[in-house]
Amino acid sequence: MKRKASEEADGKEPPRKKLFKIENKDETFVMFDEKKMIGTLLQRAISMCDEETIEQTKTVVIVGEGHDFSELQKIKNVTSLTISECDDLNPNIFHTSLKSLHALETLEMMISIKEPLIIENHQMSSFLLNFSQHVDLHLSSTSVKSVSFSSCSFASVPELHGPFLQNLRFTNSRNLTDRLLYQILSQFEELHVTMKDRKCARLESLSLFDCPLLENPHIESSTLLKLILNACESLKNPIIKCIHLHTLDIKWCEQLQNMLLGCNTLQKLDLKGSAAALENDASYRDLMINSLRQHYHASLEIHT
């Protein structure tokens, strides 16, 4: 079931670039665009390249330990930055360097450090954190629109200060609980209320894939338009109060028993693979569908 859910989810998501996950912890390399330098530290790689090469470099991949991230400031025109297995990273030096990258569009990281990770950049539009454990994240960006966590565990509530953040995604988040999710979403509601320009702070899409600890989540938002809950194996009785929600996708959640919906503008509901009662008891399924359509409107699109 999870495989099917993953395939369906992947079919709807934009293609992802390759994540440089290495098996050999001793492997270190730097890549500037297509030029890959095995066994080379960042500071050495920069010294090996002329000024024109550095100026024209748009994609940077840094893998392994021992890199001097203060040198990152010299690659001023980088648009895509990937940091992988750099578990000795100094968060303060990285914070300073990251702020100086004025052309950055995408930041992707796979890192596990015990200190708080401070991500501050006001040009990037996308931030991805993958295969990272005990995350203590403080994100500040007036430009970021999409944040994705994949196979991460959290040491504390991630602070997401992004007034234009629209898309939030969790995949295989092993310790994302009902309470933690509620605390994360509360940040956006508080920001939306306090912002003078209500066009800001509009979280519009929330995607939750394979989050096994979600059981009875309380998802409340005045801005969400799309909510996806797929392959969450323990999901039973979600409370969903999202007054502007258009699309609710709850697929392959086999323990689903009931839902409390507060969604005034719902247009599409997909329950494929969820709630055995809906699949095995046609009369119950028809009763629920008719009830939903009476509450919302006759044209409500429902898939079971």
Side-chain angles (χ1 to χ4, degrees):
M1 288 290 191
K2 286 186 180 180
R3 182 181 63 80
K4 290 182 179 179
S6 177
E7 289 173 353
E8 292 194 17
D10 290 343
K12 292 185 177 182
E13 294 295 321
R16 304 248 170 179
K17 64 186 181 67
K18 180 180 178 182
L19 174 68
F20 288 85
K21 188 173 189 299
I22 58 177
E23 299 300 328
N24 180 4
K25 288 284 186 178
D26 295 327
E27 184 179 355
T28 299
F29 70 82
V30 175
M31 190 169 80
F32 293 162
D33 291 336
E34 299 302 320
K35 184 179 181 182
K36 188 173 182 180
M37 292 163 274
I38 300 290
T40 304
L41 297 176
L42 177 62
Q43 53 272 30
R44 173 64 176 157
I46 289 177
S47 69
M48 291 166 57
C49 298
D50 56 35
E51 291 185 7
E52 183 179 3
T53 299
I54 295 299
E55 185 175 336
Q56 294 178 354
T57 296
K58 300 295 184 181
T59 300
V60 175
V61 178
I62 304 171
V63 177
E65 299 185 348
H67 300 282
D68 180 1
F69 279 94
S70 65
E71 295 288 295
L72 192 59
Q73 302 178 59
K74 297 179 180 179
I75 316 175
K76 299 183 182 298
N77 295 319
V78 59
T79 59
S80 176
L81 175 62
T82 299
I83 310 289
S84 182
E85 303 282 4
C86 303
D87 295 341
D88 64 342
L89 177 143
N90 183 311
N92 294 322
I93 293 176
F94 181 69
H95 175 217
T96 301
S97 295
L98 187 64
K99 286 197 298 182
S100 71
L101 301 181
H102 299 306
L104 189 65
E105 296 175 1
T106 300
L107 172 62
E108 183 167 5
M109 302 183 74
M110 183 183 70
I111 188 168
S112 294
I113 59 175
K114 295 181 180 179
E115 299 176 72
L117 180 61
I118 303 172
I119 302 296
E120 182 176 0
N121 182 280
H122 301 287
Q123 283 74 40
M124 69 177 183
S125 59
S126 178
F127 173 62
L128 302 92
L129 189 65
N130 306 289
F131 301 101
S132 301
Q133 306 306 311
H134 313 297
V135 175
D136 183 2
L137 174 68
H138 304 261
L139 171 68
S140 177
S141 175
T142 55
S143 58
V144 69
K145 294 182 179 179
S146 176
V147 172
S148 174
F149 300 100
S150 179
S151 299
C152 294
S153 68
F154 300 95
S156 62
V157 180
E159 296 182 11
L160 305 176
H161 300 293
F164 291 95
L165 180 58
Q166 297 177 348
N167 303 298
L168 182 60
R169 175 185 174 116
F170 296 87
T171 301
N172 192 31
S173 294
R174 312 313 291 178
N175 75 335
L176 182 66
T177 63
D178 296 346
R179 177 175 175 77
L180 181 56
L181 178 61
Y182 183 82
Q183 291 173 319
I184 293 171
L185 295 179
S186 294
Q187 298 176 67
F188 296 99
E189 284 303 290
E190 292 171 5
L191 184 60
H192 182 67
V193 169
T194 57
M195 291 291 287
K196 292 182 180 180
D197 182 359
R198 291 302 180 85
K199 292 181 181 179
C200 298
R202 288 190 62 87
L203 181 64
E204 296 183 350
S205 176
L206 173 63
S207 301
L208 301 156
F209 296 97
D210 190 17
C211 299
L213 295 186
L214 291 182
E215 186 173 349
N216 303 306
H218 185 155
I219 300 174
E220 186 166 354
S221 170
S222 57
T223 62
L224 268 184
L225 302 178
K226 183 176 183 179
L227 174 60
I228 297 176
L229 282 153
N230 282 184
C232 296
E233 61 187 35
S234 300
L235 189 71
K236 293 180 180 177
N237 299 290
I239 298 172
I240 301 170
K241 295 183 178 180
C242 305
I243 58 174
H244 297 298
L245 196 69
H246 290 171
T247 301
L248 177 56
D249 184 334
I250 306 183
K251 292 201 294 287
W252 311 112
C253 299
E254 299 175 358
Q255 300 301 315
L256 184 66
Q257 297 175 357
N258 198 2
M259 297 179 293
L260 178 59
L261 299 182
C263 314
N264 297 339
T265 58
L266 194 63
Q267 298 175 5
K268 181 178 179 180
L269 174 63
D270 196 336
L271 295 168
K272 184 179 180 180
S274 295
L278 297 182
E279 296 182 353
N280 299 331
D281 189 335
S283 61
Y284 175 76
R285 180 186 61 215
D286 293 342
L287 180 64
M288 188 205 73
I289 291 174
N290 291 333
S291 176
L292 285 168
R293 285 189 171 141
Q294 287 175 9
H295 181 73
Y296 292 101
H297 48 80
S299 61
L300 174 64
E301 185 180 344
I302 301 176
H303 301 273
T304 59

